[in-house]
Amino acid sequence: MITGAFLAAWQWVDKLYYWATRLQYVDRTHHNLFRVVVKPYRGETLITRDGVRLEKGDWYAKLHLHNFRIAQLLMETRRNRGKRAEIGIELLILRQIRSSFPALAEFLENHPRSNQIRVLLGTTFLHPGSEHLGFDAREIPGVIRMRLKSFFLKWILVSCHPRGWRRPRNYKHPLIPKRVFISREEFNRRYSPAGLK
């Protein structure tokens, strides 16, 4: 369950995480749900649905959902809606994610390595809805890596969700995180501010 004390402690942890991972905020002013680090790719080759290849050494945007901001959002929702807060939580988060995409597209367009970024890539439990947003979803390579990611992301989920540890037990799909990715070109086509006008 989210409490004020819990959020205060998490805020300090989040600041350390932000510093250690060299993340950049997409938009602090409007509470964008993404933070990003642009870096060379080190994994196995990925091929997006539109045929863009991401290979070792290529530049990509690693997406991180701002989980502390999501926790704040859920706490505000629970305060305003009471017990009804747990209804449609995932849909609420997905809507917030989608509304954050145009600013993310603009952020990448203004990034110093904008012309080199080939793919956007992240890891999430929210992959069931990702294909409707244009992303591909794939298993995380390596059993140990997958289990570590799963443990960390599950802890975040149960910390954020109004139902706490009851949520994973009642979830209709296995809580296994996946990598989601989309080509920069396809992302811009769908979500860039210029394309939406």
Side-chain angles (χ1 to χ4, degrees), residues 101-120:
F101 281 157
L104 174 59
E106 189 170 5
F107 172 87
L108 294 176
E109 185 65 29
N110 294 324
H111 192 277
R113 292 194 179 271
S114 177
N115 293 332
Q116 296 172 274
I117 299 170
R118 296 179 60 77
V119 167
L120 289 71

Side-chain angles (χ1 to χ4, degrees), residues 14-29:
D14 184 73
K15 288 179 179 179
L16 290 174
Y17 179 76
Y18 172 77
W19 175 81
T21 54
R22 298 177 291 117
L23 290 172
Q24 292 180 285
Y25 281 89
V26 168
D27 184 354
R28 287 177 182 263
T29 305

Side-chain angles (χ1 to χ4, degrees), residues 12 32 43 78 84 101 113 125 135 188:
W12 283 103
N32 193 281
R78 190 177 63 189
R84 294 179 299 143
F101 281 157
R113 292 194 179 271
F125 281 123
F135 287 74
N188 282 348

Side-chain angles (χ1 to χ4, degrees), residues 94 98 125-135 137 171 180 191:
L94 283 172
R98 188 184 182 98
F125 281 123
L126 300 174
H127 53 79
S130 62
E131 294 188 358
H132 297 294
L133 300 177
F135 287 74
Y171 201 64
V180 295
Y191 302 113

Side-chain angles (χ1 to χ4, degrees), residues 13-81:
V13 173
D14 184 73
K15 288 179 179 179
L16 290 174
Y17 179 76
Y18 172 77
W19 175 81
T21 54
R22 298 177 291 117
L23 290 172
Q24 292 180 285
Y25 281 89
V26 168
D27 184 354
R28 287 177 182 263
T29 305
H30 298 97
H31 302 298
N32 193 281
L33 289 188
F34 286 102
R35 294 183 292 185
V36 180
V37 58
V38 175
K39 58 194 294 188
Y41 184 63
R42 301 301 181 199
E44 78 288 347
T45 300
L46 287 177
I47 303 177
T48 66
R49 67 175 66 176
D50 56 340
V52 175
R53 297 175 66 90
L54 181 66
E55 301 182 349
K56 288 183 180 179
D58 291 338
W59 288 86
Y60 78 108
K62 186 174 183 181
L63 306 181
H64 291 253
L65 280 173
H66 194 343
N67 293 302
F68 175 72
R69 175 58 193 151
I70 291 176
Q72 287 181 311
L73 176 66
L74 295 183
M75 189 172 183
E76 292 166 3
T77 302
R78 190 177 63 189
R79 185 185 301 121
N80 295 332
R81 296 170 56 184

